[in-house]
Amino acid sequence: MSDSQKFPVAAHALAYLAHKAAFSADRAVASAELAASVPTNPVVVRRVTAMLGKAGLIGARAGANGGAWLLKPAETITLDVVLRAVNGCAHLGVAPKGVKGCPVGEKIPDAVRAAILSADQAAAERLSQITVADLLVGLQ
């Protein structure tokens, strides 16, 4: 799975677990069910849920009766935390190297780098204001 898809799959999976009220092991949702909702392959969901588990956002158990459940209320899980949990990034890329001797090429990389940093900070700030519960508003 590409890195660009980890965050959307993680946010979707967490929202689905909240929607299903999966707040304990006895309410665990199977990776096949999560995958059908995304839609993607259950292996992709298991990879992402493993990362969410390491971050302490979900509990999970393997096997025929396996599945995942939320360890925290959806209202307390912000999307910036989800992004970090899956090693995602909101940045727009990397500024190209400059060209010495060119009046534009020497200066543009620093200007582009500053613009990317500013946009990345704005994205992280906005994601810190959105919770998993917010994703479900209007769905229930």
Side-chain angles (χ1 to χ4, degrees), residues 66-104:
W69 62 92
L70 292 174
L71 293 176
K72 299 179 177 191
E75 300 81 25
T76 67
I77 303 172
T78 57
L79 295 187
D80 62 320
V81 171
V82 176
L83 185 68
R84 284 193 304 274
V86 296
N87 300 316
C89 59
H91 71 78
L92 302 171
V94 178
K97 293 182 179 181
V99 176
K100 290 207 180 262
C102 174
V104 174

Side-chain angles (χ1 to χ4, degrees), residues 11-102:
H12 186 122
L14 291 168
Y16 190 81
L17 292 173
H19 174 73
K20 297 293 278 189
F23 298 111
S24 61
D26 64 323
R27 304 268 312 172
V29 175
S31 57
E33 183 177 341
L34 283 170
S37 176
V38 172
T40 192
N41 188 296
V43 172
V44 170
V45 169
R46 285 192 289 274
R47 286 182 188 146
V48 169
T49 55
M51 297 173 94
L52 295 172
K54 284 182 182 178
L57 299 175
I58 66 166
R61 65 173 178 245
N65 295 322
W69 62 92
L70 292 174
L71 293 176
K72 299 179 177 191
E75 300 81 25
T76 67
I77 303 172
T78 57
L79 295 187
D80 62 320
V81 171
V82 176
L83 185 68
R84 284 193 304 274
V86 296
N87 300 316
C89 59
H91 71 78
L92 302 171
V94 178
K97 293 182 179 181
V99 176
K100 290 207 180 262
C102 174

